[in-house]
Amino acid sequence: MKQYNSLLYFLNHGLWLLLLLCHIQILHNKRFCSGSSMSRNKAMVESLQRYGVIRSNKVAEVMESIDRALFVPNGAGAYIDSPMSIGYNATISAPHMHAMCLQLLEKNLQPGMHALDVGSGTGYLTACFGMMVRPEGCAVGVEHIPELVSSSIENIQKSAAAQLLKDGSLSVHAADGRKGWPEFAPYDAIHVGAAAPEIPQALIDQLKPGGRMVIPVGNMFQDLKVVDKKSDGSISVHTETSVRYVPLTSREAQLRGY
Ligand code: SAH
């Protein structure tokens, strides 16, 4: 009878306690493992700040406002600091590379300035450029895979930069980015998201005096080059770091695997 009573006691109280503990555990997991997309995006930005990759508040603010999950296929692994395949033999660059390029171009991404993103892929960095140069600025993406142009526009439409697409201060075009995009030239900032065997002359020509271009240069071994155009039109180039990007090439070569 005593045993029977303790079994009843457990069924009445112990089972409830067990259920309560499970519920608390589920709430805990929800808060720390999934969290909202924007809060995990913020955590990614904070980690890039802690490591000193992001040093400016404006860059942090802009990267916080543009949720990276909207630009990664299925949103999977969006906040992991690694490049990821986006199809068509292309990749979205790692968050630390996006942050580094924004940081290198920050002075040339002031409100009202013109920015060109060559090899704009997912549109992530084009959206960030748009947010940096608004209001009255202009951000242009050029990408030679038409399917990526369409999906990048869809991505941007879901993001905080959607309004810029609507008002025309941000646009993405299907074209060979080695020729730049003369319509909105000269540019204060040019970013190239694919490695060029050498710096395309058209991009140097479309850089404004005082403008800056960040471009990976090389084949197997690549350097991220920073090209500054002085007010007299002369050029200075320095190497920032070693990098690994997909090539800046023809659409045919890219689709057959280079
Ligand atoms: N910054 C982009 C990088 C994408 S990878 C992102 O993070 O999403 C490099 C991109 O350059 C690819 O999308 C590729 O299709 C594009 N590309 C390569 N050669 C090109 C060219 N000649 N003209 C335009 N885009 C080019």
Side-chain angles (χ1 to χ4, degrees), residues 90-93 98 119 121-122 143-144 148 175-177 193 246-249 254:
T91 54
I92 178 169
S93 303
H98 283 151
T122 60
E143 166 58 55
H144 68 169
L148 287 177
D176 185 344
V246 301
L248 185 74
T249 183
Q254 183 173 324

Side-chain angles (χ1 to χ4, degrees), residues 2 19 36 46 52 65 74 101 113 123 141 144 155 184 190 210 231:
K2 199 174 170 207
L19 281 174
S36 77
E46 283 167 356
S65 73
N74 310 319
C101 291
M113 290 186 165
H144 68 169
N155 298 340
F184 298 107
I190 298 180
S231 45

Side-chain angles (χ1 to χ4, degrees), residues 50-79:
R50 266 199 306 281
Y51 283 101
V53 188
I54 300 177
R55 295 178 305 280
S56 114
N57 289 340
K58 179 80 184 286
V59 168
E61 217 174 87
V62 163
M63 285 186 71
E64 270 179 31
S65 73
I66 301 292
D67 185 0
R68 206 178 144 81
L70 301 173
F71 295 82
V72 163
N74 310 319
Y79 311 111

